Amino acid sequence: MHWPLLLLLCSAATSFACKAASHESDESEAAPRALGGRQVVGGVSLMSENDMSDSDFQGAVQAVLDKMNEANECHNFELIKVKEARQQVVAGMKYTFSIEVQPKISGSNSIDCRRECVTRDNGPKEGHVTVVSQTWSEPKHTVEFQGLLGGRNHFSVDGEMFLSCPAEPRPMPGGWA
C-alpha cells in the first residue's frame, strides 16, 4: 500500500505538534495565563506594572478619582497607588483593581464639611473598583465600587467615602419633644 506516504505524514504531523508545543511554552513565560497555563479568550489576567502604565488603564484610574471627587463634597482624593489590578477583554476592557487614596479636605463651605469627624478622618483609604472602558462610547468609562468580603473598603457603591460621624439629632415633626 502507501506505507511510506503514511509514515511521512505521521512524521510531519508529530514534528508540527512538537514545534507548536515548544512555541506555546515560550509564550506562557511572556504573559500571565489562566487555566493550566493557557491564555483563554475573555479570561481574566493579572496586570503587570507595564500594563498599568498603559494610557487606557490610566484613563480608567482617572475616571475612578473623578467619580470619587464628584461623590464627596467634603474631600478630594489623590492616588497613592494601585495595589492590584486584573484585566479582561469584554465589549471593551474590564479592569478590576484596588487603590489606595489620600483624602484631602475640599474647599467646600458646607456646614457638614466643618464637622470634626469629617476633618479628622484624613488617613489613607482603600477602594475596590471595577471599570469597563469602551473608548467608542460616551462616557468612555463605567465605574462601580465594590464591597470586599473580609477586606477593607472605605467607599459606597457610588464612590462616597464612609465617615465615622455620629448621627446628629434632628427635630421631630412639630418641634422638639
Side-chain angles (χ1 to χ4, degrees):
M1 293 190 103
H2 300 288
W3 287 108
L5 181 59
L6 183 59
L7 185 60
L8 181 62
L9 286 174
C10 286
S11 176
T14 303
S15 174
F16 179 74
C18 290
K19 189 161 206 81
S22 170
H23 180 68
E24 187 175 291
S25 68
D26 292 344
E27 283 182 356
S28 67
E29 295 172 9
R33 304 292 182 194
L35 297 175
R38 293 188 109 104
Q39 186 171 19
V40 177
V41 175
V44 178
S45 62
L46 192 60
M47 295 179 69
S48 68
E49 292 289 328
N50 192 37
D51 294 334
M52 287 190 251
S53 66
D54 178 71
S55 62
D56 289 338
F57 180 73
Q58 290 299 312
V61 171
Q62 187 59 52
V64 170
L65 294 172
D66 292 346
K67 184 162 185 172
M68 292 167 75
N69 290 335
E70 272 179 34
N72 293 277
E73 177 185 10
C74 302
H75 293 92
N76 292 317
F77 297 89
E78 292 179 7
L79 179 67
I80 296 173
K81 67 180 172 180
V82 175
K83 292 180 132 188
E84 180 179 298
R86 297 182 183 279
Q87 64 185 356
Q88 178 181 15
V89 176
V90 293
M93 185 64 78
K94 179 179 177 181
Y95 301 108
T96 304
F97 53 98
S98 297
I99 57 171
E100 189 173 351
V101 294
Q102 179 65 50
K104 303 285 184 182
I105 300 298
S106 71
S108 175
N109 289 324
S110 167
I111 195 161
D112 287 336
C113 295
R114 289 186 251 146
R115 294 174 64 190
E116 180 188 351
C117 59
V118 172
T119 59
R120 71 175 151 79
D121 198 5
N122 61 2
K125 305 295 179 206
E126 189 171 326
H128 308 282
V129 65
T130 296
V131 180
V132 176
S133 178
Q134 296 175 318
T135 57
W136 61 88
S137 68
E138 195 57 44
K140 292 182 189 323
H141 305 287
T142 304
V143 178
E144 184 179 302
F145 287 81
Q146 306 162 341
L148 187 66
L149 296 175
R152 294 177 23 185
N153 188 22
H154 294 106
F155 298 92
S156 72
V157 172
D158 296 327
E160 188 174 351
M161 185 172 76
F162 296 129
L163 296 171
S164 56
C165 295
E168 289 191 9
R170 297 179 186 239
M172 295 181 70
W176 289 96

